[in-house]
């Protein structure tokens, strides 16, 4: 039934009831009957006053329903679509420039020099970060021995875990103070290298899979076709899609929080190593403060 028909029915019904009520109240009645009729008239008039607001309420509900289910053709949404698409295309293009345009290989050549060959430097894949991303310096590793894992070797090199440190076992022959200083230095360095290896092990486990998945999601979320689809879908469908993205945002926020904690830990270890490496300068300052000429 159309909205204007509903309006007419409400108005006509109110008019008929009003005439009937006025006729009843004007008829001869005494005592309780007159009071009862008057109360009925008052209540009915009040109901009709509320009923007359029904068409306006129905019209507002219709407008709201159309707004929720209709296609979004607003200028604001169109401008947002253009901006998001441009930003998404730029992010994806930047990743492609880094990984697939030859830029990494060119930087690797600058790093290792022009004379590097599989014969002169067969372990080149172990020192280039592009190896982790699936683009080793030598596409075919020149080492013949089985079990070679360039990504794992890169993690070991980058973390410093392969750096040799003499274990402070037994007595070195030096003073107790000097031996204690070395043990403190050894412990700090080993702890830092262990943490470095743990953090970089994520790169080993992930490789380039995260970058690929990220590029795919960025492309979908910023695609003009997808945004146009969202603009024309029912709001219920859009809300479900928003919940999906919200869930993924929670996962990424958790990962970001974990990364921040690791950054703070790394900074703390860096400070500890700086303190340890400054032991020589500290000894000189202490000797001067005590009036002792350093040997």
């Amino acid at each position: 039934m159309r909205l204007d028909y509903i309006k007419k029915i409400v108005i006509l019904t109110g008019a008929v009831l009003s005439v009937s009520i006025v006729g009843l109240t004007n008829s001869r009645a005494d005592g309780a009957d007159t009071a009862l009729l008057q109360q009925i008239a008052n209540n009915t008039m009040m109901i009709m006053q509320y009923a007359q607001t029904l068409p306006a309420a129905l019209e507002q509900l219709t407008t709201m329903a159309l707004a929720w289910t209709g296609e979004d053709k607003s200028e604001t949404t169109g401008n947002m679509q253009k901006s998001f698409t441009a930003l998404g295309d730029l992010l994806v293009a930047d990743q492609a420039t880094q990984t697939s345009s030859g830029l990494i290989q060119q930087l690797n050549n600058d790093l290792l020099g022009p004379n590097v060959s599989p014969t002169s430097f067969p372990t080149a894949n172990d020192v280039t970060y592009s190896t982790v991303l699936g683009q080793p310096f030598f596409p075919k590793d020149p080492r013949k021995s089985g079990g070679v894992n360039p990504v794992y070797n890169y993690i070991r090199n980058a973390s410093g875990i392969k750096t040799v440190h003499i274990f402070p076992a037994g007595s070195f022959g030096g003073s107790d103070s000097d031996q204690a200083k070395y043990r403190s230095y050894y412990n700090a360095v080993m702890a830092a290298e262990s943490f470095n290896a743990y953090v970089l092990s994520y790169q080993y486990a992930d490789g380039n899979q995260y970058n690929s998945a990220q590029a795919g999601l960025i492309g979908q979320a910023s695609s003009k076709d997808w945004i146009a689809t969202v603009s024309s879908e029912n709001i219920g469908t859009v809300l479900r899609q928003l919940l999906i993205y919200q869930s993924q945002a929670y996962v990424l926020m958790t990962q970001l929080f974990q990364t921040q904690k690791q950054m703070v830990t790394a900074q703390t270890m860096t400070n500890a190593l700086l303190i340890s490496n400054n032991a020589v300068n500290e000894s000189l300052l202490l000797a001067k403060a005590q009036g002792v000429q350093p040997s």
Side-chain angles (χ1 to χ4, degrees), residues 170-294:
S171 176
F172 285 173
S175 66
D176 292 342
S177 175
D178 289 337
Q179 291 188 51
K181 290 179 181 179
Y182 178 75
R183 281 194 296 271
S184 297
Y185 168 79
Y186 177 87
N187 292 337
V189 169
M190 296 296 285
E193 290 178 4
S194 176
F195 177 76
N196 291 343
Y198 165 74
V199 172
L200 291 175
S201 66
Y202 177 81
Q203 294 283 344
Y204 173 79
D206 177 70
N208 198 35
Q209 299 178 41
Y210 178 80
N211 290 338
S212 300
Q214 186 183 44
L217 286 175
I218 291 174
Q220 178 193 10
S222 58
S223 170
K224 61 180 181 181
D225 296 330
W226 184 79
I227 295 178
T229 300
V230 170
S231 300
S232 60
E233 288 178 335
N234 292 337
I235 194 64
T237 303
V238 175
L239 288 176
R240 292 185 183 93
Q241 293 172 354
L242 287 176
L243 287 175
I244 293 175
Y245 270 95
Q246 188 66 26
S247 299
Q248 293 304 309
Y250 173 77
V251 173
L252 293 177
M253 287 294 294
T254 302
Q255 192 175 36
L256 178 60
F257 178 67
Q258 182 69 20
T259 302
Q260 289 176 334
K261 290 197 299 183
Q262 292 176 353
M263 290 176 62
V264 173
T265 304
Q267 184 61 50
T268 302
M269 290 187 174
T270 301
N271 294 339
L273 291 176
L274 290 174
I275 293 172
S276 179
N277 289 333
N278 197 48
V280 175
N281 293 329
E282 182 178 344
S283 298
L284 293 175
L285 292 174
L286 177 62
K288 290 182 179 180
Q290 294 174 338
V292 178
Q293 291 297 326

Side-chain angles (χ1 to χ4, degrees), residues 63-169:
T63 302
M64 183 178 68
L66 291 175
W68 278 68
T69 59
E71 184 176 354
D72 184 3
K73 298 182 179 180
S74 64
E75 182 179 355
T76 302
T77 301
N79 293 334
M80 290 174 60
Q81 172 184 330
K82 295 178 183 178
S83 298
F84 278 126
T85 300
L87 177 60
D89 291 344
L90 180 61
L91 293 175
V92 174
D94 287 347
Q95 287 186 349
T97 300
Q98 284 185 293
T99 58
S100 62
S101 67
L103 178 61
I104 288 182
Q105 191 65 24
Q106 182 178 349
L107 292 172
N108 286 339
N109 291 332
D110 294 337
L111 171 69
L112 299 178
N115 299 321
V116 172
S117 68
T119 303
S120 64
F121 193 11
T123 60
N125 289 342
D126 297 349
V127 298
T128 53
Y129 180 71
S130 61
T131 301
V132 180
L133 302 178
Q135 297 188 21
F137 185 78
F138 297 129
K140 185 177 181 180
D141 199 287
R143 290 166 288 187
K144 303 297 182 181
S145 58
V148 174
N149 190 335
V151 178
Y152 180 75
N153 292 339
Y154 173 84
I155 299 302
R156 292 197 298 171
N157 291 330
S159 65
I161 206 169
K162 290 188 65 178
T163 305
V164 177
H165 305 285
I166 304 301
F167 181 72

